Amino acid sequence: MTAMERSTQAAADRSPNGLSLWGEGRRRVILERLQPEVDAGRYPIKRVPGEPVQVEVDAFADGHDVLTCLLRYRKEGSTTWQESPMTLVINDRWRGTFTPTEIGRYQYTVQAWVDHFKTWVHQLHRRVDANQEVSVDLLIGADLVADAAAHASGEAATRLYTYADALRAGDLTAAFAVSLADLMATYAPRRYATMYDRELVVVVDSPLARFSSWYEIFPRSASPEPGRHGTFRDVINRLPYIAELGFDILYLTPIHPIGQTFRKGKDNTPTAQPGEPGSPYAIGSAEGGHLDIHPELGTFEDFRELVRVAREQYGIEIALDNAFQCSPDHPYVREHPDWFRARPDGTIQYAENPPKKYQDIYPFDFESQDWQGLWYELKGYFDYWMAQGVRIFRVDNPHTKSFRFWEWCIGELKTKYPDAIFLSEAFTRPKVMYNLAKLGFTQSYTYFTWRTAKWELTQYMTELTQTEVKDYFRPNFWPNTHDILTPQFYPGHRGTFYARAALAATLAASWGLYGPAYELLEHMPVQGREEYRNNEKYEIRTWNLDDPRSIRGFIAQLNRIRKENVALQRNEGLRFHRVENNFTENDQIIAYSKHSPDLSNIVLVVISLDPVNIQSAWIELPLSDWGLNSPVQMHDLLSDQRYTWNDGFNYVELNPYAMPVHIFRLRRRVRDERGFEFYS
Amino acid sequence: MTAMERSTQAAADRSPNGLSLWGEGRRRVILERLQPEVDAGRYPIKRVPGEPVQVEVDAFADGHDVLTCLLRYRKEGSTTWQESPMTLVINDRWRGTFTPTEIGRYQYTVQAWVDHFKTWVHQLHRRVDANQEVSVDLLIGADLVADAAAHASGEAATRLYTYADALRAGDLTAAFAVSLADLMATYAPRRYATMYDRELVVVVDSPLARFSSWYEIFPRSASPEPGRHGTFRDVINRLPYIAELGFDILYLTPIHPIGQTFRKGKDNTPTAQPGEPGSPYAIGSAEGGHLDIHPELGTFEDFRELVRVAREQYGIEIALDNAFQCSPDHPYVREHPDWFRARPDGTIQYAENPPKKYQDIYPFDFESQDWQGLWYELKGYFDYWMAQGVRIFRVDNPHTKSFRFWEWCIGELKTKYPDAIFLSEAFTRPKVMYNLAKLGFTQSYTYFTWRTAKWELTQYMTELTQTEVKDYFRPNFWPNTHDILTPQFYPGHRGTFYARAALAATLAASWGLYGPAYELLEHMPVQGREEYRNNEKYEIRTWNLDDPRSIRGFIAQLNRIRKENVALQRNEGLRFHRVENNFTENDQIIAYSKHSPDLSNIVLVVISLDPVNIQSAWIELPLSDWGLNSPVQMHDLLSDQRYTWNDGFNYVELNPYAMPVHIFRLRRRVRDERGFEFYS
């Protein structure tokens, strides 16, 4: 076959649009396995301002040329990308970091290309080391530099041409000038660069999304006078108490009118007695629905005053409890019967989990013909209450409402209120809980309440902080809620209340309590159910906040310690420590540390999980891993006692009837200008 | 706020195209984490006809309704999907399987929806169990069935209406009829179904892609007469020998004209002596290039005859060695100087890895201005040789050519020749090797050659068979190649040749040998390099195939055992077994089993890695895991000896100077119609 015949054949084989559809074929770099990336970029990751995004990607090209790899990012809407260098870690894995500074949405992606100048320098070093003749190589370099000069202007162009001339004149030292490398990094054209397939999104939330302490109350129980229905004014009067406890979010159970039909009585009896207040989760009555206030709580003016005073005087945000369900008396039932599922007998389908029936609750039908009207109306709920000053919502059972609705609703709301926070109260299967977080929920309730053994606490925290869920699922740890009183509290051990609160407050950056039940050690369950007896859902309670048994001081200490130690304000940096007796792990004592990124703040928490016996053990203190020398001072921030510990194992003893918790801040030996040594 | 005011606000909040852009909001099922899926569907997975694709996906909806989840698949180009049921495994994970039957490309994806009929049946069971009144529920069911009837026709519609009437008449038994469930599964409309985001592709290759035995030779060394250049006719005469060895692919090193400029001499000396043949990898001379045949090998007619005889008489496919590089004498250098990189001194850039220079080789410049012409020409190489009957190519150093070129080239070729096979000879970093497999290479050389210890063989096989690479990377295990003679062979231990061949042939479904060097125990290296002395790359060798030291009989046994045992024809079903002496793992003996999907064929391989000492140990035989009872007969397919083993640990002893390999087929006790028992 002749050359002519061959090229004829090649031409014949060209499929009509084959290569023009293929784009630029000279892009030689492959970019893949970018992290963090949730479901191939289908969902964003989450951060708060100042929290870095560390990006990794596999980048490689054919052959042995040197690559340049850049992390690109921008605030959504900005037309220009900012760039941050990426460096090769190992095995074609590159890493770079950027830090969003503002609330909102950022995009990020990666760009890489074969860097002919860097390749040339790299190879020139090897040639010179091997004493090879390099005159032609210097000419090649001169061409690369002149090419960059043609893409520069002003002084930079002049300097690049000067370097090109030097190389052309055989000046080897010019090749290795750092300033030439800098100029080339800026001006050399990025020919045939590969962009990563996708631009990814990071949602940057309000700082409270990451580090927050929640306190739940039933506002109707806020009255100090037995028998009187609590009001928003009562809640205002309780703010100093809540501020003293150190919480920054006060969440109110639903504040809307309560239905009469099928109203539940005390302890969830099927029929309410006259005068019983009903469950605030059976929303809607002749007095209104989700956009109205239960009259006995007060007025819209009172509510706005509560939001204002809490925020301005106490630094406390008011969170509302969003429960998208209706009592049979809700105005929607009359105005929008098509938002509910009709039964063949003309009635409306109540909530049920057969054989259980919840006839006081009508769920919305997300397969309604008028699903769009329903979606707009439900989103309107949030707009409406945001207009009253609210920015934080605890969302009741989001997993029983359409997932796509939440994605749309939260997405739309965040464009207008980027600082809004939505806490998902979904206690359900793990993939559903994680998906709600992907869809947009800012924080999520967790399984913490049921994780009581050391092995399961360790395993669960490892899942939350070491796997990809860490980038989108922000756990919020609650020892109790108004719906959940777990069996470990039934005996009423004070030590259990200490231990569970301390675990929640130090394992997770966000935690919450249902109070005043918790600090007042409320612990009597309904027989056979993990639920409080005399539950505030069905009756109005009066709480004696000054009960001498209250652990309010301890709760306040926990929140103060959290505020003073940045190590506790994030979920990263968690490490579990060995707790040994005679080389055997002691499963009754859990020990873990958290540290700030710069290791200037290290907190070691040691908690006994045994409510009845004194426990002792030796705790691993890996000082050398933190770059510290023995000894260090272990300052117990609860008792204010100080101990001197050394690298290795150190002894602790915990009495559950006294205090089953140590929260140690590590203090290292420092020397001042006079030569005096202190622990700091 | 009145209802009117509220709906005005909701209307005002409607962003112009908000919900119309959002699509159908009533789709309630979320589908995510589908497997197998390579890089979010960017690349296909691979199978051969008859090899199942097991698909898993997370599927869940809001609430507690029951889902139906279907696997959909079709041959690419077909307009109709076939469907296969998926079943819930655990924790919202669903699984289904389909089996492509033809060579080509198939698509697959998943569809799921909230199944109101199944939900209704499920809830009805619970209501009935709780003795609840269900008359309204039967009406609800009747509506669902009538709705399906309206979507059916003929007898199915009639039957569905009959069921609807029965339910409406209060006939509870009708609700649970299996035939009703079947009809509903077929005819109930799939309202608001969710399709998985992507349609994924499986490339279905020729069966040889999965299970193949390769044999490499230098055709110029095929002459039985010392001093005479081998020809295609000589290769034809050697086919009976190769067939006796049991190989089904014969791969020839490059058959093209060899360059003169900078021709290499014996043992890679920089300058060839007159009469030395040069390296066949320095392709191109005045006699032609990649589309021509080195004249001393014969004619195109001879070559086509070789391809034909091999295929028709011996069932052997001829594979060509594709090396996209040119000697300085290649016609391309003159005809297409723009396909090479020019140096400022007017010369062409030769291959180099500074300070090493390979002046006999010009690499193509994939950043050429005429990259499109280059791509078409290179693809033309494959078209050209496929027209001569070749379907299999070993590709030399694909990682030094543009990745995007390979993706295009192999993709285009496979549309015309879907049975073509491309073996990637990339010995480089793991991510590059894996990426070439993703881009389209059918099989890949591996690190097997350098994995000699038990722990690393185990770790590597686990990576290849248990991680996602198993879906796109088909390993081909070679104990040697013409480029690689690893140190374990240097002492010339016959046992090492047995052990390494047996490892390759039984660990991987595809393996290959460079012969006759291997079966003739060639083992002398070039000093300081993992390379053969007197390498055929630089000289013509004459091999004495009848040397009494040859292990050709053993190689033939290995290939016969592979053909007779389907367990060895796939990489799935591999399991490593404990090998113990006094409770301690014996690291010198490796034991593993492979089994067919139905467990009818189970092979246990036991190999000593110790070339000089007799090794003995106790091998774990987990009969109960395979559903077998003790005792079984262990039939050594190499020695034809039979042993009786029991569940648990069984003793073996291996002498490297005799035979360091057992390949046992497990034979179980069976009873014939006369009541006589045998091992089968």
Side-chain angles (χ1 to χ4, degrees), chain A residues 40-60:
Chain A
R42 170 72 178 78
Y43 302 107
I45 64 162
K46 294 173 185 155
R47 291 292 188 272
V48 299
E51 190 179 10
V53 180
Q54 180 178 292
V55 176
E56 291 193 352
V57 72
D58 287 349
F60 48 84

Side-chain angles (χ1 to χ4, degrees), chain B residues 105-309:
Chain B
R105 290 164 65 95
Y106 284 70
Q107 296 166 306
Y108 61 100
T109 191
V110 168
Q111 183 185 36
W113 63 94
V114 171
D115 190 318
H116 288 296
F117 180 75
K118 283 186 189 164
T119 304
W120 175 80
V121 171
H122 172 74
Q123 295 187 343
L124 192 65
H125 269 297
R126 290 183 168 212
R127 294 182 212 277
V128 170
D129 289 348
N131 288 312
Q132 291 185 349
E133 211 283 315
V134 295
S135 59
V136 176
D137 298 289
L138 291 179
L139 295 178
I140 292 173
D143 287 350
L144 293 171
V145 173
D147 181 34
H151 288 80
S153 60
E155 192 202 324
T158 308
R159 293 181 60 201
L160 283 163
Y161 280 123
T162 306
Y163 275 114
D165 292 342
L167 293 171
R168 212 163 268 131
D171 178 356
L172 182 61
T173 59
F176 302 127
V178 177
S179 49
L180 174 59
D182 290 343
L183 283 165
M184 290 299 285
T186 307
Y187 295 103
R190 301 175 184 179
R191 286 216 178 79
Y192 319 134
T194 299
M195 297 294 303
Y196 184 68
D197 281 350
R198 293 176 277 277
E199 287 169 10
L200 303 158
V201 174
V202 48
V203 168
V204 183
D205 291 311
S206 135
L208 274 177
R210 167 168 158 147
F211 170 58
S212 58
S213 308
W214 293 58
Y215 189 69
E216 170 190 1
I217 63 164
F218 282 74
R220 68 188 183 185
S221 296
S223 157
E225 301 158 38
R228 180 167 70 70
H229 192 287
T231 66
F232 293 138
R233 295 275 154 200
D234 292 319
V235 177
I236 291 174
N237 291 334
R238 185 160 293 182
L239 288 172
Y241 172 84
I242 297 164
E244 182 197 302
L245 287 176
F247 290 101
D248 31 45
I249 298 173
L250 171 60
Y251 121 56
L252 311 178
T253 53
I255 59 172
H256 315 299
I258 297 169
Q260 288 289 347
T261 306
F262 291 109
R263 175 176 282 193
K264 293 291 189 349
K266 182 177 165 66
D267 282 331
N268 202 19
T269 48
T271 316
Q273 301 302 313
E276 286 200 282
S279 164
Y281 291 89
I283 296 171
S285 75
E287 289 153 330
H290 284 75
L291 307 185
D292 300 286
I293 289 173
H294 182 65
E296 290 179 276
L297 286 171
T299 64
F300 271 90
E301 287 65 40
D302 296 337
F303 179 75
R304 283 192 293 264
E305 177 71 359
L306 168 59
V307 170
R308 191 189 64 75
V309 172

Side-chain angles (χ1 to χ4, degrees), chain B residues 60 140 270 422 442 558 575:
Chain B
F60 47 85
I140 292 173
F422 303 87
T442 326
L558 287 180
R575 169 175 180 167

Side-chain angles (χ1 to χ4, degrees), chain A residues 93-161:
Chain A
R93 193 80 178 150
W94 294 67
R95 183 185 294 156
T97 300
F98 75 98
T99 303
T101 53
E102 296 170 42
I103 292 173
R105 290 163 66 93
Y106 284 70
Q107 297 165 305
Y108 61 100
T109 191
V110 168
Q111 184 186 38
W113 63 93
V114 171
D115 191 318
H116 288 296
F117 181 74
K118 283 186 188 165
T119 303
W120 174 80
V121 172
H122 172 76
Q123 295 186 344
L124 192 66
H125 269 295
R126 291 183 166 211
R127 296 181 210 278
V128 171
D129 289 348
N131 287 313
Q132 290 186 349
E133 211 283 317
V134 295
S135 59
V136 176
D137 297 289
L138 291 178
L139 295 178
I140 291 173
D143 287 350
L144 292 171
V145 173
D147 180 34
H151 288 81
S153 60
E155 194 201 324
T158 310
R159 294 180 61 203
L160 282 162
Y161 281 121

Side-chain angles (χ1 to χ4, degrees), chain A residues 221-511:
Chain A
S221 296
S223 157
E225 301 158 39
R228 181 167 72 68
H229 193 286
T231 66
F232 293 139
R233 295 273 153 200
D234 292 319
V235 177
I236 291 174
N237 291 334
R238 185 161 292 183
L239 289 171
Y241 171 83
I242 297 165
E244 183 196 303
L245 287 176
F247 290 101
D248 29 48
I249 298 173
L250 171 60
Y251 121 55
L252 311 179
T253 54
I255 60 171
H256 316 300
I258 296 170
Q260 288 288 349
T261 305
F262 292 109
R263 176 176 281 193
K264 292 293 188 349
K266 179 175 166 70
D267 281 331
N268 202 19
T269 46
T271 315
Q273 300 303 314
E276 286 201 280
S279 165
Y281 291 89
I283 296 172
S285 74
E287 288 153 330
H290 285 74
L291 307 185
D292 301 287
I293 289 173
H294 182 65
E296 290 179 276
L297 287 170
T299 66
F300 271 91
E301 288 62 40
D302 295 338
F303 179 75
R304 284 191 292 263
E305 178 72 359
L306 167 60
V307 170
R308 191 190 64 74
V309 172
R311 182 176 292 147
E312 293 176 9
Q313 292 187 29
Y314 298 98
I316 291 174
E317 288 290 316
I318 299 296
L320 283 190
D321 192 339
N322 165 273
F324 277 149
Q325 56 192 21
C326 298
S327 105
D329 309 321
H330 197 293
Y332 287 156
V333 177
R334 196 178 62 251
E335 296 166 12
H336 295 283
D338 50 334
W339 290 353
F340 304 89
R341 191 173 296 174
R343 286 160 57 90
D345 61 354
T347 62
I348 286 179
Q349 181 64 58
Y350 44 83
E352 53 176 355
N353 186 13
K356 292 190 208 158
K357 303 181 177 194
Y358 308 97
Q359 288 160 306
D360 57 331
I361 298 292
Y362 288 173
F364 290 113
D365 176 16
F366 283 86
E367 293 187 9
S368 164
Q369 195 72 24
D370 183 32
W371 63 272
Q372 296 188 329
L374 176 63
W375 284 26
Y376 281 120
E377 179 69 22
L378 297 185
K379 176 173 131 4
Y381 162 94
F382 293 102
D383 281 310
Y384 182 81
W385 289 105
M386 296 229 230
Q388 312 302 324
V390 177
R391 284 293 176 278
I392 305 184
F393 298 87
R394 177 260 195 195
V395 178
D396 187 80
N397 281 332
H399 58 296
T400 60
K401 286 91 195 174
S402 156
F403 296 130
R404 287 173 65 80
F405 161 72
W406 288 122
E407 185 175 19
W408 169 80
C409 176
I410 296 176
E412 290 282 302
L413 292 167
K414 294 277 279 186
T415 61
K416 194 162 166 191
Y417 307 101
D419 58 340
I421 289 177
F422 302 87
L423 167 62
S424 159
E425 188 253 7
F427 291 112
T428 180
R429 285 124 47 213
K431 285 166 188 171
V432 173
M433 290 172 62
Y434 287 142
N435 190 261
L436 288 162
K438 292 180 190 175
L439 293 173
F441 282 91
T442 325
Q443 295 186 349
S444 306
Y445 283 77
T446 67
Y447 301 134
F448 167 72
T449 323
W450 298 278
R451 298 290 178 270
T452 55
K454 176 170 167 174
W455 71 268
E456 56 189 1
L457 284 164
T458 307
Q459 190 184 67
Y460 191 43
M461 285 310 299
T462 302
E463 176 176 325
L464 294 178
T465 61
Q466 307 291 323
T467 71
E468 66 141 31
V469 306
K470 72 180 189 297
D471 284 309
Y472 60 82
F473 183 89
R474 293 199 187 94
N476 195 327
F477 276 15
W478 291 66
N480 72 331
T481 77
H482 68 263
D483 281 324
I484 308 170
L485 176 71
T486 43
Q488 76 257 26
F489 291 110
Y490 299 174
H493 289 299
R494 192 180 180 82
T496 303
F497 283 84
Y498 285 141
R500 294 295 298 177
L503 284 168
T506 58
L507 279 172
S510 287
W511 80 305

Side-chain angles (χ1 to χ4, degrees), chain B residues 624-657:
Chain B
S624 48
D625 290 1
W626 293 319
L628 297 180
N629 295 318
S630 298
V632 291
Q633 189 185 67
M634 304 299 285
H635 179 195
D636 188 334
L637 303 173
L638 291 168
S639 68
D640 203 28
Q641 296 209 41
R642 292 157 193 263
Y643 308 84
T644 303
W645 281 22
N646 290 300
D647 193 56
F649 282 81
N650 297 269
Y651 182 77
V652 294
E653 191 176 290
L654 291 164
N655 180 347
Y657 293 104

